Amino acid sequence: MNEATLILIKPDGLKKSLTGNILTRLSETKLEIVAAKIVRVSRELAETHYAHLRDKAFFPDLIKYIQGELHNRRKVMALVYWGEDAISKCRQLAGATNPEEAESTSIRGAYGRITTSGLYENVVHVSANQGDAKREIKLWFKPSEIIVDLYPTKEVLKDNVKVKVWA
Ligand code: IDP
Ligand code: MG
């Protein structure tokens, strides 16, 4: 079944100049890129994205990590991949959350590391399931930034101009 997934190239991926390698690896999936941008991650976006991990000891480090404070690279690359079994194909290529446990040929296995404070710096984010993908894509992208219709939208008036927002 066709589905969408959010991919983030995290600040360590950008700092290590891995963007090209990661996009090349992802192109093996033959999925379609339907949205892409560079994002400066606010604290609010970071905390909302990782809300399910709020109670973990590593949460403060995780927020610093995704905001680029650990790598002096205050940006991430955000993409939406779309196509047959997009989530499982991209999760497979990304590898396990713990880069030490990830297959060495996976993106995280090849390029990730565990910091001395114990945080998994694993280079990429991939939505874990369709529910997460929907929540995350709607959080990171406006409807007008995606070239296919993924989720229901509605029109609202903003400064007397009609704009599409997530319904
Ligand atoms: P996922 O990225 O594979 O979906 P999540 O459980 O959603 O894994 O965790 C989000 C991110 O938080 C991970 O990608 C990793 O950077 C970090 N993380 C998750 N679990 C741990 C842990 O047990 N120790 C350190 N960092 C972790
Ligand atoms: Mg996750």
Side-chain angles (χ1 to χ4, degrees):
M1 191 189 40
N2 283 339
E3 61 186 12
T5 182
L6 177 74
I7 303 271
L8 302 176
I9 301 181
K10 298 183 183 182
D12 49 333
L14 296 174
K15 173 122 184 193
K16 293 174 179 173
S17 298
L18 293 172
T19 309
N21 303 44
I22 292 166
L23 295 179
T24 300
R25 293 299 311 277
L26 288 167
S27 70
E28 291 167 22
T29 61
K30 308 289 182 208
L31 296 166
E32 191 183 343
I33 298 173
V34 294
K37 62 180 176 179
I38 299 291
V39 183
R40 181 144 298 177
V41 181
S42 66
R43 172 168 284 268
E44 189 188 0
L45 176 58
E47 290 185 352
T48 308
H49 178 74
Y50 283 130
H52 62 296
L53 298 169
R54 195 173 289 273
D55 297 334
K56 302 284 186 191
F58 59 81
F59 186 72
D61 273 354
L62 180 60
I63 297 306
K64 281 189 197 154
Y65 169 35
I66 199 68
Q67 285 199 275
E69 285 180 32
L70 304 183
H71 296 91
N72 205 20
R73 279 288 185 290
R74 287 170 210 287
K75 58 188 176 183
V76 304
M77 186 169 191
L79 306 107
V80 178
Y81 278 75
W82 187 82
E84 182 86 19
D85 298 326
I87 294 172
S88 61
K89 281 176 183 163
C90 293
R91 293 276 304 184
Q92 175 82 29
L93 267 182
T97 304
N98 179 342
E100 296 283 319
E101 288 172 1
E103 264 187 62
S104 54
T105 53
S106 68
I107 295 167
R108 288 168 165 180
Y111 303 125
R113 66 166 200 148
I114 303 181
T115 66
T116 47
S117 68
L119 183 71
Y120 302 164
E121 279 185 9
N122 53 14
V123 186
V124 287
H125 168 83
V126 181
S127 308
N129 54 57
Q130 286 194 11
D132 279 7
K134 183 176 178 183
R135 185 184 79 85
E136 293 170 357
I137 290 167
K138 287 165 76 169
L139 178 66
W140 286 81
F141 287 90
K142 297 179 195 151
S144 61
E145 294 174 321
I146 305 174
I147 61 152
V148 290
D149 292 331
L150 292 179
Y151 312 114
T153 58
K154 62 182 180 192
E155 279 191 339
V156 295
L157 273 184
K158 206 174 179 184
D159 300 327
N160 269 335
V161 181
K162 273 189 196 165
V163 290
K164 267 190 189 173
V165 296
W166 299 117

